[in-house]
Amino acid sequence: MAVTVDIVALTLRAGALHVLLVERGGPPFRGAWALPGGFVRAGRESLDEAAARELAEETGLDATQLRRVHLEQLGSYGDPGRDPRMPVVTVAYLAFAPDLPEARGGGDATAAAWVPVGALALGEPDAARPRPPHQGPGRGIDGGDSAPRTPADRTPGPGVAEAPLPLAFDHARIVADGLDRARAKIEYTPLATAFLGTEFTIVELRGVYESIWGSPLHAGNFHRKVLSVPGFVEATGATASRGGARGGPRARLYRAGDARLLHPALLRPEESAR
């Protein structure tokens, strides 16, 4: 049995939530898109070190930049047949940070790309999915070499809906679990600020919540809720360099506070929590 790590790396690009994917250069699933990851160097690195190494290889982040990345274990996955080569247990990680650089293929990946999460073929997260009693080896995208269209080649013709992008192995399940974790954690922790720079406006913070939850929020209510949570954010005393789109005074700048938990929590709108 082998042990691997896989990383669900999330960032905001042009106001939309994106996940880092790599195109596999070798079997199994040659040409398919998957999460960045690889085998743990047994006896030479910890799981956390392996995850940080794989993330750095695919993004070009150096040691200083990696310190800005929030990285936590998401879960372990070891269903029989998840990897057609041998029994493989993977420890998945969730990572997010602001302004992550352009992706680059590293290791056995021929390409890498930031892909909008809305373009992926994802199922229900584990919390909402009945577990099958047995999972055998898959076929096609789930168990052998296959070559789905790349993100750059997925422009549909006139009047044709764009098909969701499938993922290799059980990575659709892992991404779904990562998104579910991220959506839940920003309810009761201040980790939404990890998607932003050291200084930000409440409007920018609201944009993080809207992108991750996939639901618009009432601007005034959100502003009041954020400022009512002790230690969530703190004012810097400065203002943004430019005013809003409609003119008016420049927005105040804030930084992350020292709270570890949000009390009261910022609960998702019911429609985005379903």
Side-chain angles (χ1 to χ4, degrees), residues 88-176:
V88 175
V89 171
T90 192
V91 179
Y93 279 77
L94 180 63
F96 40 83
D99 304 323
L100 289 177
E102 291 296 331
R104 66 182 191 186
D108 60 355
T110 58
W114 290 102
V115 180
V117 296
L120 303 181
L122 303 179
E124 291 290 330
D126 267 2
R129 182 190 304 110
R131 298 298 297 277
H134 172 73
Q135 175 182 328
R139 293 292 182 268
I141 190 60
D142 292 321
D145 290 354
S146 56
R149 289 176 295 167
T150 68
D153 295 333
R154 296 174 62 247
T155 303
V160 178
E162 184 174 325
L165 180 69
L167 299 179
F169 302 104
D170 52 358
H171 288 185
R173 169 186 171 190
I174 297 174
V175 173

Side-chain angles (χ1 to χ4, degrees), residues 44-59:
R44 292 189 288 163
E45 62 184 357
S46 67
L47 291 171
D48 289 358
E49 290 169 340
R53 172 180 55 79
E54 290 289 346
L55 182 61
E57 288 178 358
E58 306 299 348
T59 60

Side-chain angles (χ1 to χ4, degrees), residues 159-202:
V160 178
E162 184 174 325
L165 180 69
L167 299 179
F169 302 104
D170 52 358
H171 288 185
R173 169 186 171 190
I174 297 174
V175 173
D177 290 346
L179 292 173
D180 192 59
R181 169 79 67 85
R183 288 164 180 157
K185 290 203 76 166
I186 65 172
E187 287 188 293
Y188 62 89
T189 76
L191 286 178
T193 60
F195 285 90
L196 300 169
T198 55
E199 295 184 347
F200 50 84
T201 67
I202 298 298

